[in-house]
Amino acid sequence: MRVAAINDLSGFGKCSLMADISVMTSMGIEVCPVPTAVLTAQTGFPSYYMHDTSDMVSHCRQEWKNAGESFEGILTGYMPQCRVADDVQDFANAFKTDNTVLLVDPVMGDGGRCYSNYSAEMLEKIKKLVSMADIITPNLTELCLLAGEDPERVLEAAAGNDGIERIIEIAKRVRSHDLQSIVVTGIAVNEEEIGNLVVHPNGADVITSPQNGRSYSGTGDLFAAALLSNVLIGKDIVEAVKATADFIYRAVMGTDAKDRNYGVDYEKVLYEGIGGQR
Ligand code: PXL
């Protein structure tokens, strides 16, 4: 089993390729990294340096196509610039077959705010990628951006009684084709629980886990990598989300860091095994 992971490599933040490589490898999956940029730290830190390696996306496509390589999975995450999104689309077109699961994590923002990579042009390009995907994993802010909704208003509504119905309606609108699954991550259902909504070919399910109100950098990236792994090893999408949510829960609960920028201490959980027995 082999996955091409198109993402950046950040020195601090435990996100992107660090998450992809460690999580998928621990699930028995070979990871072929396609580094879009190398950063001293993820962009939430007060200061960082970014080295552009985005030409690697087209080089990997050409080299690997010439070598006759193939992938059971393709995972795409944070896009440092718009240009990368075009190359990622070409990469997906070159390698996606009926036997390839394409997971697109439309990384654009969180908590009602957009990351520094966000622009209207970026949104249009990510929408194109989303339309090709088998699975997408937006958080609520990203779902709203994809649907043309105001994230702040939807976040407020999400706390209300019919919040989840409203999110299901928005997710159904964003869904691009009948076989696509949308997993809306990190919905604050109430003060004690966090929910992941799965809108899939057979309906919609909400999977809830206990929460402690803290949020950390990189959990979306860990979620995407663990979800794709769980799907590739044969779990259906709802079971895969349950196992993945349990992994994130254990990682967050085992984290001591006060600064969200440093991410969660998921290393301890990998040691126990993702989706394994507690
Ligand atoms: O976790 C998403 C992410 C990935 N990569 C970089 C980021 C972020 C979020 O801020 O800055 C470089």
Side-chain angles (χ1 to χ4, degrees), residues 11 34-36 50 59 77 92 112 139 201 205 209 236 238 250:
V34 182
T36 52
M50 182 168 84
H59 285 303
N139 58 36
D205 288 86
S209 318
D236 70 40
V238 175
R250 283 183 286 151

Side-chain angles (χ1 to χ4, degrees), residues 126-140:
I126 286 187
K127 276 187 187 169
K128 281 196 187 149
L129 261 179
V130 158
S131 71
M132 297 173 66
D134 300 293
I135 304 171
I136 66 167
T137 53
N139 58 36
L140 203 44

Side-chain angles (χ1 to χ4, degrees), residues 72-74 96-104 129-137 175-183 199-201 228 231 237:
E72 281 77 27
I74 302 172
K96 185 162 166 40
T97 68
D98 290 346
N99 301 320
T100 314
V101 180
L102 171 63
L103 187 152
V104 173
L129 261 179
V130 158
S131 71
M132 297 173 66
D134 300 293
I135 304 171
I136 66 167
T137 53
R175 203 153 161 259
S176 312
H177 56 86
D178 288 347
L179 296 177
Q180 189 174 64
S181 293
I182 300 198
V183 183
V199 176
H200 52 84
L228 181 57
V231 167
I237 188 75

Side-chain angles (χ1 to χ4, degrees), residues 250 266-278:
R250 283 183 286 151
Y266 69 96
E267 301 86 348
K268 301 173 194 171
V269 187
L270 292 191
Y271 186 74
E272 294 163 17
I274 299 169
Q277 299 297 312
R278 242 190 269 174

Side-chain angles (χ1 to χ4, degrees), residues 5-139:
I6 311 174
N7 226 329
D8 64 274
L9 182 64
S10 289
F12 283 91
K14 298 190 194 174
C15 56
S16 332
L17 277 182
M18 277 304 294
D20 299 339
I21 297 169
S22 54
V23 168
M24 292 196 277
T25 301
S26 78
M27 296 281 284
I29 292 166
E30 178 186 356
V31 183
C32 303
V34 182
T36 52
V38 180
L39 292 93
T40 55
Q42 55 94 351
T43 62
F45 277 83
S47 170
Y48 62 88
Y49 169 75
M50 182 168 84
H51 177 75
D52 183 0
T53 58
S54 54
D55 59 343
M56 283 298 287
V57 182
S58 61
H59 285 303
C60 287
R61 172 175 55 78
Q62 286 162 27
E63 289 289 327
W64 294 349
K65 207 65 201 170
N66 290 343
E69 304 295 3
S70 60
F71 302 95
E72 281 77 27
I74 302 172
L75 186 154
T76 82
Y78 182 84
M79 308 272 168
Q81 312 96 358
C82 283
R83 189 161 34 89
V84 183
D86 292 328
D87 290 343
V88 171
Q89 204 180 331
D90 291 344
F91 186 100
N93 275 321
F95 290 102
K96 185 162 166 40
T97 68
D98 290 346
N99 301 320
T100 314
V101 180
L102 171 63
L103 187 152
V104 173
D105 188 7
V107 181
M108 292 183 283
D110 201 5
R113 294 211 169 149
C114 297
Y115 296 141
S116 52
N117 70 334
Y118 178 80
S119 65
E121 193 187 353
M122 174 70 83
L123 175 62
E124 287 317 306
K125 294 193 189 272
I126 286 187
K127 276 187 187 169
K128 281 196 187 149
L129 261 179
V130 158
S131 71
M132 297 173 66
D134 300 293
I135 304 171
I136 66 167
T137 53
N139 58 36

Side-chain angles (χ1 to χ4, degrees), residues 191-194 208-213 245-246 249 252-253 278:
E191 277 179 12
E192 280 91 42
E193 285 175 311
I194 192 124
T208 53
S209 318
Q211 66 147 339
N212 60 8
D246 185 56
Y249 167 71
V252 169
M253 289 302 158
R278 242 190 269 174

Side-chain angles (χ1 to χ4, degrees), residues 153-185:
R153 281 181 54 192
V154 175
L155 281 170
E156 269 171 36
N161 285 342
D162 58 354
I164 207 74
E165 295 307 320
R166 172 103 174 92
I167 300 167
I168 292 175
E169 180 268 311
I170 298 174
K172 284 188 173 159
R173 250 193 294 136
V174 167
R175 203 153 161 259
S176 312
H177 56 86
D178 288 347
L179 296 177
Q180 189 174 64
S181 293
I182 300 198
V183 183
V184 186
T185 58

